[in-house]
Amino acid sequence: MPRVKMTCWLLSIVLALVSLSGCSSPFYESFNAAGSRLSFDRMKELRKEYPLSTGVPATINMREVSFNEVMAFGDGVVVAEVVKVLPSFRVELSTKPGTPERKMADKDRANGITSYQPEFISYQVKVNEVVTGDDVPEDTFLFYNADFAGVEPELKPGMKIIAVVKKGTTGEQQGGYSFTRYGTYYIVDDDYVLAAYEGESEELRDFMEQTNGIQLDAFMDKIKNQPQG
């Protein structure tokens, strides 16, 4: 049976259950009325350059995660521009006595199996603004587990995003921040946001209806006023 051991923070939010407050539809209607959001036709056109992140790796059992849940586990939200794609890197799992990773590593060695070392896809970025949370260096890198390649956003130089980030703590992750499609929006047409992931659940769909295609400043205000936990 396939087994994948993950150290990235994504699995923590995938497995956790957080009580959330609902969102209301008047938010969506007010932006339409004010004419301050992208048209559906324009959003559809932009999807050629900024495609939705879809699918789930076959070896991983996971559920959808709301933007608010990602914020609850992240260290902050940043506005950043992608500078370049960096070489991928690997991280050796912690093998401290008594940890699940140590027990699994010992079991692998006993069975003659090479211990799993997750690989990460990374991007050098310039942080233009920290919207909420801890300070983030202007020059840093973002990453996600390569097991999610084709699922998480494929960023390109010049792209701008607003994303929830989590500080890396292990090996080559240090100095960088992980991110996920569940907490990422592209910044398009200079001043609007386009969700990297739209979701299937009623909760996620409701949040997307409120935020997809609105102006960046309005989205940042929404984030700052979003109830936590």
Side-chain angles (χ1 to χ4, degrees), residues 6-183:
M6 309 293 292
T7 58
C8 62
W9 70 295
L10 177 60
L11 283 194
S12 296
I13 61 177
V14 166
L15 297 175
L17 294 174
V18 179
S19 298
L20 301 172
S21 300
C23 304
S24 58
S25 58
F27 186 89
Y28 174 83
E29 294 170 357
S30 66
F31 277 97
N32 266 346
S36 55
R37 72 186 304 154
L38 296 172
S39 68
F40 287 109
D41 286 343
R42 180 54 181 158
M43 286 191 282
K44 183 178 179 181
E45 183 180 0
L46 286 166
R47 284 301 180 196
K48 298 174 184 177
E49 186 177 357
Y50 302 92
L52 282 169
S53 297
T54 59
V56 176
T59 57
I60 297 175
N61 183 22
M62 57 189 293
R63 68 170 178 85
E64 290 186 325
V65 183
S66 72
F67 193 94
N68 198 49
E69 284 180 279
V70 181
M71 283 186 64
F73 282 92
D75 291 323
V77 179
V78 301
V79 174
E81 181 174 353
V82 181
V83 177
K84 64 179 180 181
V85 180
L86 296 172
S88 59
F89 63 89
R90 292 185 178 275
V91 170
E92 185 175 351
L93 298 177
S94 170
T95 55
K96 293 181 180 180
T99 63
E101 292 82 4
R102 176 59 177 271
K103 294 177 181 178
M104 192 64 68
D106 289 343
K107 183 178 180 180
D108 286 342
R109 280 194 293 270
N111 293 326
I113 301 173
T114 302
S115 295
Y116 173 69
Q117 291 187 342
E119 181 179 358
F120 293 87
I121 293 171
S122 63
Y123 305 91
Q124 181 181 338
V125 300
K126 178 181 180 181
V127 175
N128 296 322
E129 183 175 350
V130 177
V131 182
T132 64
D134 300 336
D135 290 338
V136 177
E138 181 178 356
D139 296 310
T140 187
F141 65 94
L142 303 182
F143 62 87
Y144 58 77
N145 194 296
D147 288 321
F148 291 87
V151 173
E152 294 289 1
E154 182 180 350
L155 302 182
K156 299 177 181 178
M159 281 186 172
K160 295 181 180 180
I161 61 173
I162 178 168
V164 182
V165 296
K166 179 73 172 179
K167 191 173 184 179
T169 59
T170 304
E172 297 296 324
Q173 292 181 358
Q174 296 182 38
Y177 295 78
S178 61
F179 75 108
T180 172
R181 61 181 178 172
Y182 299 114

